[in-house]
């Protein structure tokens, strides 16, 4: 399973990249705003900085909600850097734009997916990635992980190439469960990746090894 980090924070991206396990980055307009990145030119410059920091795919989301606007914005984003993946919302014009970009060989991430039917549409439109938001489903007492399982079954039934990018991942158990269910990618905050490191027996075991080494080498 690929690990993407879901942030526009350059420090967090650099830290995950330095760990050596990062495969890409996802952003959205809220994450950009959280970092104080506003205005089209600043946003493009920020995407460039992210691409310079990481080796993998960087999802850059369009703001337009009509087909023509999405195409114009998406083409500009895709031309910015070969690592850019155009992120499109799952609405009718988003699906049309996804098909348009797919026919042109431009990679896409269809976002704001909350049902298996929406994921089926994204795959049929040739999406590179589909982003089911598992945390936001959990937030409204609906099993987000079940959606990952449903999409996995549907995509496998028909050998769709679209990769399942489990999004709105909030914690380490989401990461582990997504891996068990066969999600192709997960995107979450730095804490969801670093949390995987933690086990008290590792810390206790290491302390003991170092203590015994010291005793033996006094
Ligand atoms: C997906 O690409 C989104 O950026 C993201 O995962 C949303 O997560 P949230 O529900 O934690 O805001």
């Amino acid at each position: 399973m690929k690990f993407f980090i879901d942030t526009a924070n350059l420090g967090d991206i650099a830290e995950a990249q330095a760990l050596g396990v990062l495969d890409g980055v996802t952003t959205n307009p809220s994450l950009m705003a959280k970092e104080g990145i506003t205005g089209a030119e600043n946003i493009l410059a920020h995407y460039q900085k992210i691409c310079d920091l990481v080796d993998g795919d960087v999802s850059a989301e369009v703001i337009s909600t009509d087909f023509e606007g999405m195409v114009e914005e998406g083409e500009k984003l895709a031309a910015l850097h070969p690592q850019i993946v155009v992120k499109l919302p799952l609405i009718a014009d988003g699906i049309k734009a996804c098909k348009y970009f797919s026919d042109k060989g431009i990679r896409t991430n269809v976002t704001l997916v909350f049902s298996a039917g929406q994921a089926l549409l994204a795959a049929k439109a040739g999406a590179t990635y589909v982003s089911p938001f598992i945390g936001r489903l959990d937030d409204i007492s609906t099993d987000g992980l079940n959606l990952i399982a449903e999409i996995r079954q549907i995509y496998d039934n028909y050998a769709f190439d679209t990769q399942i990018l489990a999004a709105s991942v909030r914690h380490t158990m989401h990461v582990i469960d997504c891996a068990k269910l066969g999600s192709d990618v997960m995107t979450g905050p730095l804490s969801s990746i670093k949390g995987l490191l933690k086990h008290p027996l590792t810390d206790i075991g290491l302390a003991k090894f170092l203590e015994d080494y010291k005793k033996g080498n006094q």
Side-chain angles (χ1 to χ4, degrees):
M1 184 170 74
K2 290 186 212 164
F3 278 19
F4 287 1
I5 189 166
D6 195 31
T7 185
N9 182 285
L10 297 178
D12 283 2
I13 294 169
E15 193 174 337
Q17 173 72 17
L19 199 56
V21 298
L22 191 67
D23 300 296
V25 179
T26 52
T27 61
N28 64 39
S30 305
L31 293 171
M32 281 286 183
K34 193 175 164 198
E35 299 306 316
I37 315 295
T38 53
E41 290 314 309
N42 291 335
I43 289 173
L44 286 179
H46 201 72
Y47 283 136
Q48 181 66 55
K49 284 182 196 164
I50 294 175
C51 290
D52 290 344
L53 271 179
V54 300
D55 302 320
D57 290 348
V58 175
S59 286
E61 188 159 344
V62 300
I63 308 301
S64 303
T65 53
D66 62 299
F67 174 76
E68 289 76 16
M70 286 184 193
V71 165
E72 191 185 331
E73 256 190 83
E75 284 182 338
K76 206 169 177 185
L77 288 168
L80 185 69
H81 199 283
Q83 284 166 245
I84 293 281
V85 174
V86 179
K87 200 170 176 191
L88 303 159
L90 200 142
I91 54 177
D93 282 38
I95 289 296
K96 283 186 212 166
C98 178
K99 175 77 173 108
Y100 170 88
F101 286 124
S102 157
D103 288 347
K104 286 191 79 175
I106 292 175
R107 292 172 309 136
T108 54
N109 173 359
V110 175
T111 190
L112 290 168
V113 168
F114 294 94
S115 76
Q118 290 179 322
L120 180 56
L121 275 177
K124 286 192 68 69
T128 312
Y129 297 105
V130 68
S131 288
F133 279 35
I134 62 174
R136 290 192 195 185
L137 281 170
D138 288 355
D139 287 345
I140 57 157
S141 314
T142 303
D143 186 356
L145 289 165
N146 184 52
L147 178 57
I148 301 294
E150 283 184 316
I151 301 171
R152 182 73 284 155
Q153 184 184 351
I154 291 168
Y155 282 11
D156 288 350
N157 282 349
Y158 299 99
F160 281 120
D161 289 335
T162 302
Q163 294 178 55
I164 303 172
L165 196 175
S168 188
V169 159
R170 301 276 171 77
H171 47 70
T172 54
M173 276 318 292
H174 272 159
V175 178
I176 293 161
D177 286 332
C178 283
K180 283 160 80 173
L181 290 168
S183 188
D184 300 290
V185 191
M186 78 83 199
T187 192
L190 181 61
S191 58
S192 69
I193 298 174
K194 280 174 65 180
L196 297 170
L197 288 166
K198 290 182 195 160
H199 200 290
L201 290 180
T202 304
D203 299 336
I204 293 167
L206 182 60
K208 177 85 172 103
F209 285 156
L210 296 180
E211 189 191 312
D212 290 346
Y213 173 85
K214 240 190 206 167
K215 275 188 212 154
N217 288 275
Q218 267 168 0

